Amino acid sequence: MEAGAYYLLLLALTGISSTLSFYGDSITFQPAHKQKDGTYKVIFHHRQNGRSSCQDKPLHTCESEVCTSFVESSVLLTDQDDTGQGRWCQSEMHATATVRKNQTSFSLNQSGCCWGSNVDGKTKWTSEAELNLGSRSDSHALDSCPLTTTVSSLRVPQNCFSPIHILAHDPDGDHVRCRFSSDAAAPANFILDESKCVLSTKGEVDVGVHVFELMLEDFSRKNITLTYADGTSVFREGSDMSSPPLCKVKLQFSMEILPPLSSCEHGRVQPMFLSKTPSHGDVFHATMGQKFKLYAQAKATEASINDFQVSGPQNMTKEFKAGEQGTAELILSWTPQHSDLYRIVPVCFTAETNQSQSDMRCVVVLVTQEPLIQGTATVTCSPNKMTVALDKSSMPGIDVNFLQLIDSSCSLTSNGTHILGVMSFSTCGTKLLDKGDFLVFANEIRSYELPSEVIIRRKAVKIDINCQFPKTVSISSYYNLQKSNYIFTESNFGSFEYTFEIYNDNNFTSKVEVSNYPVEVKLLDTIYMGIQADSELPNVTLFVESCKATPNINPENVLSYDLVKNGCLKDETVVVYPSNQKTYNFEVQAFKFNGNYEQVYITCSVILCEPGTPYSRCAQGCLSDPSRRRRRSLVKETFSHSITQGPFRFIGHADPIAAMDQNLAVVKNSPAMDVKPSVMTKSRPTAEVIVPSVLLEDTESSSGRWGIEEILSANISTLVFASTFFVSMVMFVAVVVYITRKRNEEDCKVLLNSSYDN
């Protein structure tokens, strides 16, 4: 089926002419579904921004060949400036369309004039959205569109611009791309992170009102097939951002760049949200017919917070409370009706002063029919972990086997009275949140369903757990930034812990002190590291499946170098020391990444196995062919967990002669070396020479010095001494042997002078 075949204009929105200026809008879809007669029920909500008035009613029509029925609500005011200055207002309406069964997509398109006065000179605006009506093979339902909105008026001082996080929530967990609309130019000096939907600047921006037109599009993370009512289908490859999106919605808003402030410190003139306020992107659950409340608190010591600006659903009420010492509180209340059932509602808010406003926070509210089970939880905060105990009596009928933490590889255990879980602050998806006056380590216990389940009879569970520490108190005694301890819980293994340490010598008894992190090393220094496992179960076996290096703490960095892979040693300098079944001690020679990288982190993937299981991953050992790996036994071994140590920071330079003595015998394509030229070496147009990783230096550093690699791989015409060593660039092995056997004192002197004098 051709991609363009289902991009049909099914619905036209025609706005009534009005003297009011346009300041932006947003469209959100409720989950659409196919009805018994084959038609589609599509409900969308439309919010429109304004200043002094927001209640003009747009006219929505749907052609008879597209819709069998179309019903729209009245437009209701949802928020306005309570100070009487007419600085903002927002309205919302919704419409329900019954779309004929022969349609493959549902589109909204409206244009008009004019944008409010702005420095970009924009006048015409266009609202649009498009929903694919194919049934997804992964969920057996229609796609759920990304949710987004903003408050009506964003205001930022010119000299205090902080990145603005735009809500981009996808109910299906799809990738969301957030880009500037192709039919509108981006405002000057503004940039947009398309994957994170974060708006920032790349220079000074002009004072005045700027307008923004963004398009949010979702793409499935895995391969799916979309099936339509006429029996046709189309395949979509996972994470293929070049394919047509499953849904797209346009977000439009204005932002006023204010004159500079005397201070950009948050909490003074600019309001700062406090720990009582939800974090951006948080997801809440509301129950149909029951009052839902959301609280926020902000502080500004040198300005008066006089209101909160809110973007929310119809009938949501706002209560403002002024507090002491420059604080103010917002209480939002909303009782979802039957028509809101299963609706997913975006809510955004800012704290306002006459001079500025806080950052914008946005959350998502899911409306359910029955209340989510919250349970009674006790959380104990320790120096590097939190322990949670749920009282079973407060959660009757809950199956512990279907509970997990944010990281789905972490589950829980239970005894006769409680459901138990233990996690360190750096594992199981625990997030570090800056709440303004507190630092919070947060996780969540949630229920889940198996993909193979057609029906379920288990109640939904969502329990937030956290440890928080005031910023006014040093938390070094609570949270150790040197992440050596990793604690997990799995239902079949109970709680277990990995300790990843750096040692001073090969006795593996004297640990490098926390005060010495980052650990300073020189190239060719020997690094000693050790992993220990501790488990509630006796006689478990530790298996290190992989270890790799990255130039930052992100283990998924594409720039990486394997030390151990699939249980096999990949770097020739790695030496594993004999130890007990719960310990893995090893050494490796220090190296650095080619380029302007001065730090290295080591991340290892580790597994625990029960003894006496011949088909466990531990028993398999080194696998040269990963496809031979047997399916993980849920009882006999744990999930593979990643643990990270570092950073190592490089100081000084290595002794090049010592390096050549130890490493020049390693030749190109050595299986043990497994060097990736794009990662660990640089190549020049004249020739490519691969040298041991421990020899690599920054070839174009700010000091302008030549490293050892330049001596070996630079253009022959630029290095006079190279002719002594290289008879032919294609005869690399012969040259290496010659250098190793014939090098004399004069050669050494040339090498040293070339390395350090330039």
Side-chain angles (χ1 to χ4, degrees), residues 292-306:
F292 166 80
K293 287 193 174 184
L294 188 148
Y295 299 87
Q297 188 179 42
K299 181 179 182 179
T301 58
E302 298 179 12
S304 176
I305 299 176
N306 51 41

Side-chain angles (χ1 to χ4, degrees), residues 67-339:
C67 296
T68 61
S69 68
F70 184 79
V71 179
E72 60 179 347
S73 73
S74 57
V75 178
L76 294 181
L77 184 69
T78 56
D79 187 44
Q80 63 181 348
D81 181 4
D82 290 338
T83 65
Q85 301 177 56
R87 294 179 296 177
W88 73 80
C89 62
Q90 191 173 82
S91 62
E92 184 184 67
M93 61 80 60
H94 69 270
T96 302
T98 302
V99 182
R100 295 185 182 277
K101 59 184 178 182
N102 62 337
Q103 306 299 327
T104 56
S105 69
F106 182 86
S107 300
L108 308 174
N109 195 298
Q110 177 189 24
S111 60
C113 186
C114 293
W115 275 100
S117 177
N118 61 87
V119 298
D120 307 304
K122 292 185 179 179
T123 55
K124 183 179 178 180
W125 54 267
T126 302
S127 298
E128 60 180 299
E130 186 168 23
L131 168 64
N132 191 297
L133 296 177
S135 177
R136 297 174 56 136
S137 58
D138 56 344
S139 64
H140 306 288
L142 302 185
D143 183 65
S144 294
C145 293
L147 276 83
T148 189
T149 194
T150 67
V151 295
S152 180
S153 175
L154 290 169
R155 301 184 300 135
V156 183
Q158 185 186 42
N159 62 328
C160 303
F161 195 98
S162 298
I164 296 176
H165 294 258
I166 306 297
L167 180 66
H169 175 82
D170 190 272
D172 294 322
D174 294 332
H175 283 297
V176 177
R177 179 172 64 195
C178 184
R179 60 175 176 83
F180 289 115
S181 179
S182 56
D183 60 0
N189 290 337
F190 286 93
I191 55 177
L192 182 65
D193 186 322
E194 293 191 348
S195 61
K196 297 180 180 178
C197 211
V198 176
L199 186 67
S200 55
T201 60
K202 59 179 178 181
E204 187 174 273
V205 293
D206 294 334
V207 171
V209 176
H210 299 259
V211 297
F212 297 85
E213 300 173 70
L214 309 184
M215 189 68 75
L216 280 73
E217 304 165 319
D218 66 337
F219 303 85
S220 176
R221 295 180 183 272
K222 53 189 176 182
N223 295 345
I224 62 170
T225 300
L226 300 172
T227 304
Y228 301 95
D230 61 2
T232 60
S233 62
V234 61
F235 173 77
R236 295 291 175 84
E237 185 175 350
S239 302
D240 180 7
M241 312 293 271
S242 63
S243 63
L246 299 171
C247 181
K248 62 179 182 179
V249 291
K250 193 171 185 178
L251 173 68
Q252 303 182 97
F253 59 92
S254 64
M255 180 194 305
E256 183 180 4
I257 301 300
L258 303 171
L261 292 179
S262 58
S263 172
C264 293
E265 182 181 344
H266 288 278
R268 296 179 64 182
V269 180
Q270 281 187 288
M272 174 184 70
F273 282 121
L274 303 180
S275 56
K276 196 173 184 179
T277 309
S279 298
H280 182 79
D282 279 356
V283 178
F284 294 90
H285 292 76
T287 304
M288 182 186 68
Q290 298 184 15
K291 182 175 288 188
F292 166 80
K293 287 193 174 184
L294 188 148
Y295 299 87
Q297 188 179 42
K299 181 179 182 179
T301 58
E302 298 179 12
S304 176
I305 299 176
N306 51 41
D307 202 353
F308 286 85
Q309 193 176 170
V310 177
S311 174
Q314 294 182 1
N315 302 319
M316 175 174 274
T317 60
K318 177 176 71 174
E319 182 180 354
F320 173 84
K321 290 184 178 181
E324 299 178 349
Q325 300 179 337
T327 62
E329 187 173 271
L330 168 70
I331 304 175
L332 296 176
S333 301
W334 182 51
T335 303
Q337 304 303 307
H338 185 272
S339 59

Side-chain angles (χ1 to χ4, degrees), residues 552-682:
N552 58 25
I553 201 169
N554 177 19
E556 302 303 321
N557 195 320
V558 294
L559 186 62
S560 65
Y561 177 68
D562 292 320
L563 303 177
V564 181
K565 186 175 183 180
N566 299 318
C568 307
L569 301 185
K570 305 300 288 184
D571 181 272
E572 62 141 11
T573 69
V574 174
V575 177
V576 180
Y577 285 73
S579 54
N580 63 55
Q581 62 188 26
K582 293 185 181 180
T583 302
Y584 186 91
N585 294 329
F586 66 98
E587 70 173 49
V588 63
Q589 282 190 331
F591 61 89
K592 69 188 293 286
F593 284 90
N594 195 20
N596 191 25
Y597 302 101
E598 294 302 323
Q599 295 190 148
V600 166
Y601 289 81
I602 306 295
T603 298
C604 295
S605 296
V606 290
I607 295 172
L608 285 183
C609 305
E610 289 184 357
T613 52
Y615 301 118
S616 69
R617 183 66 188 93
C618 302
Q620 288 179 291
C622 170
L623 290 178
S624 56
D625 181 5
S627 64
R628 295 177 55 198
R629 177 175 176 174
R630 297 180 181 272
R631 189 171 182 178
R632 186 182 72 90
S633 169
L634 295 177
V635 178
K636 301 301 182 182
E637 66 185 56
T638 67
F639 283 91
S640 178
H641 293 285
S642 294
I643 58 178
T644 300
Q645 186 53 279
F648 297 98
R649 179 175 295 166
F650 296 96
I651 58 174
H653 294 269
D655 180 348
I657 301 306
M660 295 180 74
D661 284 338
Q662 298 181 47
N663 297 288
L664 278 178
V666 181
V667 297
K668 185 175 182 179
N669 295 328
S670 167
M673 192 63 194
D674 196 25
V675 176
K676 302 174 183 176
S678 62
V679 175
M680 303 303 296
T681 69
K682 277 191 175 181

